[in-house]
């Protein structure tokens, strides 16, 4: 049987929120089978649990934010996508995330620090079948037209593979790889994707800060790009780091479904809002998906049994 996974022991991280700029402590704890991933706001007078589900998403402007029942204005946790991406990359099904503020720490702007933390705590196999969300029919969402067109699509696939194409019409970004395909079954999430950092443009900083966004952003946790070039003195970590970060985000955003997808995902210029719209389109069509488990591990997609080696 392909089993569910949680952590062996608890682990902690301290950092600042990218958007809020607030200091935050986060404790990642093991959870029982079938718990899923649950954020717990332990700073509130009465702690509030926010289970990660596609319909818990309450805001998608610049980051993925969840609230109980998806209610905007309720207790929230923002910028969950990089931690969710690391959990997906390691195949973690069940986890409590105790958090002392309303945003996940940005750390270095990628998911590599989360991967390191989770791997240091160790991965434990649990005696319950791992449940996958298998896409059985193509689902697509589109917005805009012409130069403003963006779209994202899920197609049936025995595995989980993602293709992302960016098009920023910006000299520094256009000089990087514009399209990335990544197969989760390769087992190379940590090497190929996890180190890709978030990015921002100096021309947008003032407008975003006046709206209370990116208050914690800096060259320590983001690729910063002016009108012509990347300003970080060390340059890029991958030649196609920006497209790879979009893949990292999509892996995290799609893991908000509550189970790993068996699908091929393709997106042209999408983002957090479109990814959540795609999940809602999928899960509102009962004929487009089914939940599957693998009693016989050899029937699971190749690479998935070794995805998060337990050690
Ligand atoms: Zn991101």
């Amino acid at each position: 049987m392909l089993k569910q996974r949680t952590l062996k022991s608890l682990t902690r991280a301290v950092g600042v929120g990218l958007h809020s700029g607030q200091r935050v402590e986060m404790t990642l704890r093991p959870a029982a089978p079938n718990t899923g991933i649950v954020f717990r706001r332990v700073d509130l007078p009465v702690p509030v649990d926010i289970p990660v589900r596609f319909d818990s998403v309450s805001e998608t402007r610049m980051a993925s934010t969840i609230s109980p029942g998806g209610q905007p204005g309720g207790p929230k946790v923002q910028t969950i996508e990089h931690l969710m991406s690391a959990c997906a990359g390691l195949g973690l099904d069940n986890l409590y995330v105790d958090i002392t503020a309303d945003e996940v720490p940005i750390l270095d702007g990628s998911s590599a620090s989360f991967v390191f933390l989770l791997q240091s705590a160790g991965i434990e196999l649990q005696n319950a079948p791992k449940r996958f969300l298998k896409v059985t029919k193509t689902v697509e969402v589109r917005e805009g037209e012409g130069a403003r067109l963006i779209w994202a699509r899920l197609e049936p696939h025995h595995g989980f593979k993602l293709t992302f194409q960016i098009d920023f019409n910006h000299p520094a970004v256009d000089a990087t790889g514009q399209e990335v395909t990544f197969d989760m079954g390769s087992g190379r999430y940590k090497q190929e994707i996890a180190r890709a950092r978030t990015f921002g443009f100096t021309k947008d900083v003032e407008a975003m800060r006046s709206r209370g966004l990116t208050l914690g952003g800096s060259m320590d946790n983001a690729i910063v790009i002016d009108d012509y070039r990347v300003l970080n003195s060390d340059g890029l970590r991958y030649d196609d780091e920006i497209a790879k970060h979009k893949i990292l985000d999509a892996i995290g955003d799609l893991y908000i479904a509550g189970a790993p997808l068996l699908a091929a995902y393709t997106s042209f210029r999408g983002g957090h809002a479109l990814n959540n719209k795609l999940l809602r389109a999928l899960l509102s069509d009962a004929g487009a998906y089914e939940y599957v488990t693998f009693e016989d591990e050899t029937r699971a997609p190749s690479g998935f049994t070794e995805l998060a080696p337990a050690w």
Side-chain angles (χ1 to χ4, degrees):
M1 170 175 79
L2 188 53
K3 293 178 171 177
Q4 293 181 23
R5 291 161 181 165
T6 190
L7 288 184
K8 266 204 174 80
S9 59
L10 60 77
T11 181
R12 288 202 172 85
V14 179
V16 296
L18 172 66
H19 293 299
S20 64
Q22 272 182 306
R23 182 182 186 275
V24 52
E25 287 173 40
M26 198 173 70
T27 305
L28 307 165
R29 296 188 287 120
N34 303 311
T35 304
I37 298 177
V38 179
F39 284 82
R40 178 173 287 172
R41 284 284 304 275
V42 295
D43 56 313
L44 300 176
V46 178
V48 173
D49 280 1
I50 314 177
V52 173
R53 295 169 40 104
F54 77 98
D55 55 1
S56 304
V57 174
S58 52
E59 169 71 62
T60 48
R61 190 181 56 165
M62 304 302 294
S64 287
T65 297
I66 54 169
S67 302
Q71 288 299 319
K76 65 178 179 182
V77 179
Q78 49 180 339
T79 322
I80 68 167
E81 60 272 14
H82 302 167
L83 174 58
M84 291 302 295
S85 185
C87 289
L90 295 177
L92 269 177
D93 300 283
N94 304 302
L95 185 70
Y96 283 112
V97 184
D98 295 347
I99 191 161
T100 63
D102 69 6
E103 189 170 14
V104 172
I106 189 66
L107 304 180
D108 75 339
S110 75
S111 66
S113 304
F114 295 121
V115 169
F116 175 78
L117 276 171
L118 296 166
Q119 285 196 312
S120 303
I123 309 288
E124 178 135 296
L125 293 173
Q126 298 174 290
N127 204 17
K130 187 179 180 80
R131 216 169 60 126
F132 291 84
L133 179 54
K134 178 181 174 179
V135 172
T136 55
K137 195 174 92 180
T138 299
V139 175
E140 184 178 293
V141 288
R142 287 177 168 257
E143 281 178 15
E145 281 174 30
R148 303 178 73 88
L149 174 69
I150 61 175
W151 56 263
R153 181 191 303 142
L154 289 169
E155 293 166 277
H157 176 64
H158 189 60
F160 184 39
K161 157 175 105 168
L162 305 98
T163 299
F164 203 104
Q165 192 183 346
I166 56 173
D167 179 11
F168 281 85
N169 190 21
H170 179 290
V173 181
D174 293 355
T176 71
Q178 299 293 290
E179 184 176 313
V180 169
T181 293
F182 178 69
D183 185 343
M184 198 63 121
S186 67
R188 294 189 56 78
Y189 173 82
K190 186 167 126 182
Q191 296 88 345
E192 304 276 340
I193 301 296
R195 295 178 65 247
R197 291 162 296 174
T198 192
F199 54 93
F201 299 94
T202 52
K203 66 176 168 55
D204 299 334
V205 167
E206 209 166 302
M208 288 201 293
R209 292 203 165 156
S210 68
R211 289 157 59 205
L213 294 167
T214 71
L215 299 174
S218 76
M219 276 194 263
D220 293 331
N221 55 33
I223 303 166
V224 180
I225 306 165
D226 73 6
D227 289 345
Y228 307 100
R229 62 198 167 92
V230 170
L231 299 183
N232 304 60
S233 54
D234 292 346
L236 297 179
R237 292 178 175 176
Y238 305 106
D239 292 341
D240 46 7
E241 187 170 359
I242 289 166
K244 279 190 166 165
H245 188 79
K246 298 296 283 187
I247 295 252
L248 184 158
D249 277 343
I251 291 170
D253 286 343
L254 296 175
Y255 203 40
I256 294 174
L261 289 177
L262 294 180
Y265 163 91
T266 315
S267 180
F268 175 65
R269 300 177 58 221
H272 304 301
L274 201 67
N275 288 335
N276 192 244
K277 195 172 174 181
L278 182 64
L279 278 189
R280 287 176 192 257
L282 172 70
L283 291 159
S284 66
D285 182 350
Y289 69 92
E290 61 185 357
Y291 287 98
V292 297
T293 59
F294 295 98
E295 278 304 317
D296 176 359
E297 279 194 26
T298 61
R299 303 187 85 107
S302 66
F304 273 65
T305 48
E306 312 89 50
L307 196 61
W311 68 91

